PDB file of all heavy atoms in Angstrom:
ATOM      1  N   GLY A 948       5.540  -3.276  -4.338  1.00 96.00           N
ATOM      2  CA  GLY A 948       5.552  -3.530  -2.891  1.00 96.00           C
ATOM      3  C   GLY A 948       6.828  -3.033  -2.251  1.00 96.00           C
ATOM      4  O   GLY A 948       7.784  -2.633  -2.938  1.00 96.00           O
ATOM      5  N   GLY A 949       6.835  -3.062  -0.920  1.00 97.00           N
ATOM      6  CA  GLY A 949       8.010  -2.616  -0.213  1.00 97.00           C
ATOM      7  C   GLY A 949       7.754  -2.478   1.245  1.00 97.00           C
ATOM      8  O   GLY A 949       6.692  -2.820   1.761  1.00 97.00           O
ATOM      9  N   LEU A 950       8.746  -1.920   1.932  1.00 98.00           N
ATOM     10  CA  LEU A 950       8.707  -1.682   3.366  1.00 98.00           C
ATOM     11  C   LEU A 950       8.469  -0.190   3.622  1.00 98.00           C
ATOM     12  O   LEU A 950       9.265   0.618   3.162  1.00 98.00           O
ATOM     13  CB  LEU A 950      10.000  -2.145   4.036  1.00 98.00           C
ATOM     14  CG  LEU A 950      10.167  -1.809   5.520  1.00 98.00           C
ATOM     15  CD1 LEU A 950       9.098  -2.507   6.384  1.00 98.00           C
ATOM     16  CD2 LEU A 950      11.562  -2.191   5.986  1.00 98.00           C
ATOM     17  N   VAL A 951       7.400   0.097   4.340  1.00 98.00           N
ATOM     18  CA  VAL A 951       7.082   1.511   4.634  1.00 98.00           C
ATOM     19  C   VAL A 951       6.690   1.619   6.109  1.00 98.00           C
ATOM     20  O   VAL A 951       6.535   0.614   6.785  1.00 98.00           O
ATOM     21  CB  VAL A 951       5.952   2.031   3.769  1.00 98.00           C
ATOM     22  CG1 VAL A 951       6.334   2.021   2.256  1.00 98.00           C
ATOM     23  CG2 VAL A 951       4.645   1.253   3.964  1.00 98.00           C
ATOM     24  N   GLU A 952       6.537   2.823   6.559  1.00 98.00           N
ATOM     25  CA  GLU A 952       6.119   3.081   7.931  1.00 98.00           C
ATOM     26  C   GLU A 952       4.637   3.446   7.987  1.00 98.00           C
ATOM     27  O   GLU A 952       4.038   3.802   6.966  1.00 98.00           O
ATOM     28  CB  GLU A 952       6.947   4.212   8.529  1.00 98.00           C
ATOM     29  CG  GLU A 952       8.412   3.892   8.599  1.00 98.00           C
ATOM     30  CD  GLU A 952       9.219   5.012   9.294  1.00 98.00           C
ATOM     31  OE1 GLU A 952       8.677   6.120   9.435  1.00 98.00           O
ATOM     32  OE2 GLU A 952      10.367   4.754   9.643  1.00 98.00           O
ATOM     33  N   THR A 953       4.074   3.301   9.139  1.00 98.00           N
ATOM     34  CA  THR A 953       2.656   3.672   9.339  1.00 98.00           C
ATOM     35  C   THR A 953       2.373   5.064   8.850  1.00 98.00           C
ATOM     36  O   THR A 953       3.140   6.020   9.166  1.00 98.00           O
ATOM     37  CB  THR A 953       2.271   3.540  10.819  1.00 98.00           C
ATOM     38  OG1 THR A 953       2.456   2.196  11.252  1.00 98.00           O
ATOM     39  CG2 THR A 953       0.861   3.969  11.055  1.00 98.00           C
ATOM     40  N   GLY A 954       1.308   5.225   8.071  1.00 98.00           N
ATOM     41  CA  GLY A 954       0.968   6.512   7.526  1.00 98.00           C
ATOM     42  C   GLY A 954       1.509   6.809   6.158  1.00 98.00           C
ATOM     43  O   GLY A 954       1.110   7.760   5.484  1.00 98.00           O
ATOM     44  N   ASP A 955       2.435   5.991   5.705  1.00 98.00           N
ATOM     45  CA  ASP A 955       3.035   6.189   4.371  1.00 98.00           C
ATOM     46  C   ASP A 955       2.133   5.696   3.259  1.00 98.00           C
ATOM     47  O   ASP A 955       1.032   5.114   3.525  1.00 98.00           O
ATOM     48  CB  ASP A 955       4.362   5.438   4.291  1.00 98.00           C
ATOM     49  CG  ASP A 955       5.482   6.145   5.034  1.00 98.00           C
ATOM     50  OD1 ASP A 955       5.268   7.304   5.460  1.00 98.00           O
ATOM     51  OD2 ASP A 955       6.570   5.570   5.166  1.00 98.00           O
ATOM     52  N   SER A 956       2.536   5.930   2.035  1.00 98.00           N
ATOM     53  CA  SER A 956       1.768   5.513   0.856  1.00 98.00           C
ATOM     54  C   SER A 956       2.618   4.608  -0.030  1.00 98.00           C
ATOM     55  O   SER A 956       3.857   4.678  -0.044  1.00 98.00           O
ATOM     56  CB  SER A 956       1.328   6.716   0.045  1.00 98.00           C
ATOM     57  OG  SER A 956       0.480   7.576   0.812  1.00 98.00           O
ATOM     58  N   LEU A 957       1.916   3.742  -0.781  1.00 98.00           N
ATOM     59  CA  LEU A 957       2.560   2.932  -1.791  1.00 98.00           C
ATOM     60  C   LEU A 957       1.571   2.802  -2.944  1.00 98.00           C
ATOM     61  O   LEU A 957       0.365   2.891  -2.768  1.00 98.00           O
ATOM     62  CB  LEU A 957       2.818   1.517  -1.262  1.00 98.00           C
ATOM     63  CG  LEU A 957       4.172   1.216  -0.538  1.00 98.00           C
ATOM     64  CD1 LEU A 957       4.169  -0.239  -0.111  1.00 98.00           C
ATOM     65  CD2 LEU A 957       5.350   1.507  -1.434  1.00 98.00           C
ATOM     66  N   ARG A 958       2.127   2.536  -4.124  1.00 98.00           N
ATOM     67  CA  ARG A 958       1.312   2.323  -5.316  1.00 98.00           C
ATOM     68  C   ARG A 958       1.710   1.011  -5.942  1.00 98.00           C
ATOM     69  O   ARG A 958       2.867   0.831  -6.324  1.00 98.00           O
ATOM     70  CB  ARG A 958       1.532   3.496  -6.316  1.00 98.00           C
ATOM     71  CG  ARG A 958       0.643   3.380  -7.569  1.00 98.00           C
ATOM     72  CD  ARG A 958       0.908   4.608  -8.441  1.00 98.00           C
ATOM     73  NE  ARG A 958       0.195   4.576  -9.677  1.00 98.00           N
ATOM     74  CZ  ARG A 958      -1.042   5.038  -9.865  1.00 98.00           C
ATOM     75  NH1 ARG A 958      -1.725   5.536  -8.838  1.00 98.00           N
ATOM     76  NH2 ARG A 958      -1.636   4.955 -11.046  1.00 98.00           N
ATOM     77  N   LEU A 959       0.783   0.117  -5.999  1.00 98.00           N
ATOM     78  CA  LEU A 959       0.990  -1.155  -6.660  1.00 98.00           C
ATOM     79  C   LEU A 959       0.501  -1.087  -8.083  1.00 98.00           C
ATOM     80  O   LEU A 959      -0.493  -0.420  -8.339  1.00 98.00           O
ATOM     81  CB  LEU A 959       0.269  -2.277  -5.918  1.00 98.00           C
ATOM     82  CG  LEU A 959       0.549  -2.442  -4.408  1.00 98.00           C
ATOM     83  CD1 LEU A 959      -0.221  -3.630  -3.877  1.00 98.00           C
ATOM     84  CD2 LEU A 959       2.039  -2.573  -4.144  1.00 98.00           C
ATOM     85  N   SER A 960       1.184  -1.780  -8.944  1.00 97.00           N
ATOM     86  CA  SER A 960       0.740  -1.872 -10.339  1.00 97.00           C
ATOM     87  C   SER A 960       0.711  -3.318 -10.785  1.00 97.00           C
ATOM     88  O   SER A 960       1.515  -4.143 -10.309  1.00 97.00           O
ATOM     89  CB  SER A 960       1.710  -1.047 -11.251  1.00 97.00           C
ATOM     90  OG  SER A 960       1.614   0.310 -11.016  1.00 97.00           O
TER      91      SER A 960
END
Side-chain angles (χ1 to χ4, degrees):
L950 171 64
V951 297
E952 297 183 347
T953 298
D955 284 350
S956 298
L957 271 179
R958 183 177 177 87
L959 305 183
S960 292

